[in-house]
């Protein structure tokens, strides 16, 4: 009775893992031609791709830690005017896709931009006054201010419950404030910082928009160049495997750091909490804390939005309002379909694993959960390679047209990447549903379908809606897979923003870019509400 559902789950896991398995499988097709291609890449482009990618990752890693850790310490360990507001304001850069931030800073800082033009006109200066923003350091700047909330959020979560109590205990034992920060707060946050940094670096490795727009030679840009410009699928697959190996390394580091995270229970947090209060800052120290928290918000959200509003308001006549509605509808349609499919798949997987947690089912769920860490470039290569193989063997099958001329290929790629987002949310919802309800429903004669629809879904509605919303927002911002797999005349807001920005039509690119920012604000608002709820619970516990 359980063989058929298990087989369905294994087949579903295989379909969603096919891109990764295909890319890895290219190494089994080793021959003289493959070896020659690999030798040529090792002698020409591979060292540059590796060096630029590693250099960018190191700079971004330092940047997100330098901004995320002080912000988390300030809002949890210290008390200063505006601290409650900064708890959620520091999340705002999450709403900005990195490539949108890149467009905004390029328009403002480039040679012909407003800043350098004003400096030349005001002070009689000549030539280039600032370094070229389209460079590795410019990309590191953009990524650091876009991705530091990963470090901030995880470090804050690790510190929020126990840091004030332990800092107070260390103070009573005579430890100075610098020593308390160095030997109490920072060791508590170290695993969370490592996990957040790994997540940020995975986003850097998966990026396509920033690297292509800035013209830097990362692995993702090299994959698309090998596939689309050089028409060399084997070279693209080999580059994809190297990129996948780097992602697997970061994923292992992130999971290792997550295993080291330990959170105190609510009851334990209340012990002694009546005497523990954040360190009060006044005067210059409070002003410095306020400035350190304001700077990431200003440079990561406020200024990029302002830079995009400038060209948007300069000439309203150039804005393509009629086409904008078409682009928005395409984005919403694809996001809505993917969100519903991802929610259905995630619910099916979580429900099946809850009823029968067998080893094959757990393995299938874990395999699917890795999809979010796979870059879009790897997914594209992994989907198109088997399609090309089928088309070569059976030219009349129409496999290529089905995947590339319809939305099927896009939905498949989206599900590979984002079904794990929905799965995590649904599983977290199931963790709050008592198993005694399942036993009661079974004793009352409820079937599996009735249990899922009449018992579980009313309790999972909020988690399911949150899962669908997160998938919807991720699909709206997805760029690499959409560029390659979208059907003809099916441009989305992300694709159009990228095309217009690359054509230096930043005034027109501002409209779809700001629309993506507005969509990205939705999960940020949900996160900020969660933080406020945690803060209220902590304050109530402190009063008990």
């Amino acid at each position: 009775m359980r063989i058929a559902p298990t087989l369905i789950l294994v087949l579903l896991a295989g379909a969603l893992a096919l891109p990764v398995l295909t890319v890895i499988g290219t190494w089994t097709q080793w021959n003289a031609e493959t070896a020659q291609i690999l030798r040529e890449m090792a002698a020409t482009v591979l060292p540059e791709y590796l060096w630029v990618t590693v250099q960018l990752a190191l700079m971004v890693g330092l940047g997100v830690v330098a901004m995320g850790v002080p912000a988390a310490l300030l809002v949890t360990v210290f008390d200063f005017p505006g601290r409650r507001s900064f708890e959620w304001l520091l999340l705002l850069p999450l709403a900005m896709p990195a490539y949108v931030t890149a467009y905004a800073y390029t328009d403002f800082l480039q040679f012909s931009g407003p800043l350098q033009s004003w400096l030349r006109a005001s002070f009689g200066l000549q030539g280039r006054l600032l370094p070229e923003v389209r460079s590795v350091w410019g990309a590191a700047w953009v990524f650091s201010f876009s991705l530091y909330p990963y470090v901030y959020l995880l470090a804050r979560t690790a510190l929020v419950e126990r840091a004030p109590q332990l800092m107070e205990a260390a103070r009573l034992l005579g430890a100075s404030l610098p020593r308390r920060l160095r030997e109490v707060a920072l060791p508590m946050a170290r695993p969370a910082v490592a996990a957040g940094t790994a997540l940020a670096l995975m986003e850097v490795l998966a990026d396509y928009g920033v690297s292509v727009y800035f013209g830097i030679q990362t692995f993702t840009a090299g994959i698309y160049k090998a596939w689309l410009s050089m028409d060399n699928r084997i070279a693209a697959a080999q580059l994809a495997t190297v990129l996948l190996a780097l992602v697997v390394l970061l994923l292992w580091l992130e999971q290792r750091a997550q295993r080291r995270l330990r959170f105190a229970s609510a009851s334990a947090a209340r012990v002694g909490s009546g005497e523990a209060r954040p360190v009060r800052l006044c005067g210059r120290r409070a002003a410095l804390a306020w400035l350190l928290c304001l700077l990431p918000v200003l440079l990561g959200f406020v200024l990029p939005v302002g830079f995009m509003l400038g060209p948007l308001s300069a000439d309203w006549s150039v804005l393509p309002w009629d086409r904008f509605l078409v682009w928005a509808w395409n984005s919403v349609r694809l996001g809505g379909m993917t969100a519903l499919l991802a929610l259905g798949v995630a619910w099916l997987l979580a429900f099946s694993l809850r009823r029968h947690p067998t080893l094959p089912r757990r393995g299938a769920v874990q395999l699917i959960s890795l999809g979010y860490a796979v870059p879009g470039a790897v997914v594209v290569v992994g989907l198109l390679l088997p399609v090309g193989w089928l088309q070569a063997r059976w030219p009349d099958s129409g496999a290529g047209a089905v995947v590339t001329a319809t939305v099927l290929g896009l939905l498949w790629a989206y599900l590979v990447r984002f079904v794990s987002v929905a799965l995590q949310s649904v599983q977290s919802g199931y963790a709050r549903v008592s198993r005694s309800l399942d036993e009661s429903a079974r004793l009352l004669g409820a079937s599996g379908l009735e249990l899922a629809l009449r018992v579980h879904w009313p309790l999972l509605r909020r988690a399911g809606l949150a899962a669908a919303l997160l998938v919807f927002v991720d699909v709206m911002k997805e760029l690499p897979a959409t560029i390659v797999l979208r059907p003809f005349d099916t441009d989305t807001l992300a694709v159009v923003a990228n095309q217009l920005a690359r054509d230096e039509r930043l005034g027109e690119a501002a409209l779809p870019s700001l629309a993506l920012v507005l969509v990205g604000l939705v999960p940020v608002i949900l996160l900020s509400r969660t933080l406020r709820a945690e803060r209220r619970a902590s304050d109530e516990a402190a009063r008990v």
Side-chain angles (χ1 to χ4, degrees):
M1 296 296 292
R2 299 180 184 178
I3 295 179
T6 302
L7 181 60
I8 292 174
L9 290 181
V10 171
L11 292 176
L12 182 60
L16 295 178
L18 177 63
V20 177
L21 298 177
T22 301
V23 169
I24 296 175
T26 57
W27 289 95
T28 64
Q29 304 172 0
W30 190 265
N31 52 38
E33 181 184 359
T34 304
Q36 179 62 26
I37 291 173
L38 192 59
R39 282 195 297 267
E40 291 178 356
M41 288 194 300
T44 55
V45 297
L46 192 57
E48 182 181 4
Y49 291 157
L50 183 61
W51 166 242
V52 172
T53 302
V54 170
Q55 184 183 9
L56 182 61
L58 290 175
M59 295 171 68
V60 173
L62 293 175
V64 296
V65 170
M67 284 180 285
V69 173
L73 286 173
L74 287 171
V75 300
T76 55
V77 176
F78 299 98
D79 188 17
F80 56 92
R83 176 174 68 99
R84 300 288 179 87
S85 298
F86 280 122
E87 286 181 346
W88 61 269
L89 285 174
L90 285 163
L91 296 172
L92 286 179
L94 282 178
M96 293 286 296
Y99 52 84
V100 173
T101 305
Y103 307 155
Y105 273 112
T106 300
D107 181 56
F108 186 75
L109 298 177
Q110 64 184 345
F111 178 80
S112 59
L115 179 59
Q116 294 199 54
S117 299
W118 176 79
L119 290 174
R120 286 192 295 268
S122 301
F123 301 98
L125 302 175
Q126 299 295 327
R128 181 178 297 277
L129 305 177
L130 296 175
E132 176 57 54
V133 67
R134 294 185 180 182
S135 58
V136 175
W137 79 264
W141 172 281
V142 168
F143 283 126
S144 297
F145 285 105
S146 299
L147 302 177
Y148 81 85
Y150 285 110
V151 175
Y152 161 74
L153 191 60
L154 290 179
R156 180 193 175 278
T157 303
L159 291 170
V160 68
E161 287 193 349
R162 297 298 294 165
Q165 289 79 20
L166 296 178
M167 291 278 288
E168 179 67 14
R171 185 188 68 82
L172 294 176
L173 291 173
S176 62
L177 180 59
R179 186 178 179 186
R180 278 179 273 161
L181 292 175
R182 184 177 64 254
E183 299 184 8
V184 177
L186 289 178
M188 288 183 60
R190 189 180 297 121
V193 172
T197 304
L199 290 174
L201 295 184
M202 281 192 283
E203 292 287 339
V204 173
L205 294 181
D207 172 75
Y208 173 78
V210 176
S211 57
V212 171
Y213 184 63
F214 279 2
I216 56 178
Q217 302 302 312
T218 61
F219 269 108
T220 304
I223 290 171
Y224 282 91
K225 184 183 295 184
W227 187 287
L228 300 178
S229 301
M230 302 169 58
D231 195 23
N232 194 326
R233 298 183 178 185
I234 299 299
Q238 304 301 333
L239 290 173
T241 55
V242 178
L243 178 60
L244 187 61
L246 293 176
V247 172
V248 169
L249 175 62
L250 287 174
L251 187 62
W252 175 77
L253 293 174
E254 188 269 339
Q255 291 178 344
R256 184 172 179 269
Q258 289 283 8
R259 286 195 297 268
R260 296 177 61 191
L261 291 176
R262 297 293 185 270
F263 301 101
S265 63
S267 58
R270 293 189 184 100
V271 178
S273 61
E275 299 296 328
R277 291 290 185 273
V279 179
R280 181 71 179 177
L281 298 179
C282 301
R284 294 181 179 179
R285 291 184 175 183
L288 179 61
W290 194 85
L291 180 62
L292 289 176
C293 288
L294 177 65
L295 195 62
V297 180
L298 190 66
L299 296 176
F301 183 81
V302 177
L303 288 181
V305 170
F307 296 157
M308 298 300 288
L309 286 174
L312 182 67
S313 59
D315 188 2
W316 292 89
S317 62
V318 303
L319 298 179
W321 293 104
D322 52 342
R323 289 177 292 164
F324 172 77
L325 297 178
V326 177
W327 304 330
W329 166 244
N330 289 334
S331 298
V332 170
R333 177 169 59 94
L334 290 172
M337 289 191 294
T338 307
L340 292 177
L341 289 173
L343 178 59
V345 172
W347 190 16
L348 173 64
L349 293 172
F351 177 74
S352 177
L353 190 61
R354 180 182 175 89
R355 295 197 70 188
H356 308 296
T358 60
L359 182 60
R361 299 188 184 201
R362 288 199 300 268
V365 170
Q366 291 176 355
L367 186 62
I368 292 173
S369 299
L370 298 177
Y372 190 68
V374 180
V378 177
V379 173
V380 169
V381 173
L383 282 181
L384 292 183
L385 278 176
V387 169
W389 182 84
L390 288 175
Q391 193 70 29
R393 298 299 188 280
W394 295 282
D396 297 332
S397 64
V402 170
V403 174
T404 59
T406 67
V407 297
L408 178 61
L410 266 182
L411 294 178
W412 193 354
Y414 290 154
L415 286 177
V416 170
R417 286 218 64 202
F418 303 126
V419 74
S420 60
V421 177
L423 182 60
Q424 291 176 3
S425 181
V426 173
Q427 283 184 317
S428 67
Y430 262 122
R432 296 189 293 269
V433 178
S434 174
R435 289 187 177 273
S436 62
L437 295 176
D438 298 20
E439 296 297 327
S440 301
R442 185 180 63 83
L443 292 175
L444 293 173
S447 63
L449 183 61
E450 290 175 330
L451 175 65
L453 295 178
R454 301 181 61 182
V455 178
H456 289 171
W457 175 246
L459 300 174
L460 294 173
R461 186 180 291 112
R462 292 185 63 182
L465 292 177
L469 176 62
L470 291 174
V471 173
F472 177 82
V473 173
D474 281 336
V475 171
M476 291 279 289
K477 297 189 294 184
E478 169 62 25
L479 185 59
T482 311
I483 286 179
V484 179
L485 296 175
R486 74 189 190 281
F488 177 73
D489 200 24
T490 310
D491 291 331
T492 63
L493 291 172
V495 171
V496 170
N498 177 264
Q499 291 175 342
L500 293 175
R502 293 181 65 181
D503 293 339
E504 299 299 331
R505 298 159 64 185
L506 291 173
E508 299 173 66
L511 183 61
S513 299
L514 289 175
L516 292 174
V517 174
L518 290 177
V519 173
L521 281 174
V522 178
V524 173
I525 293 173
L526 294 179
L527 275 174
S528 65
R529 292 180 60 183
T530 302
L531 292 181
R532 286 198 297 269
E534 291 178 354
R535 173 59 62 186
R536 286 196 296 268
S538 178
D539 291 343
E540 291 175 0
R543 289 193 293 268
V544 174

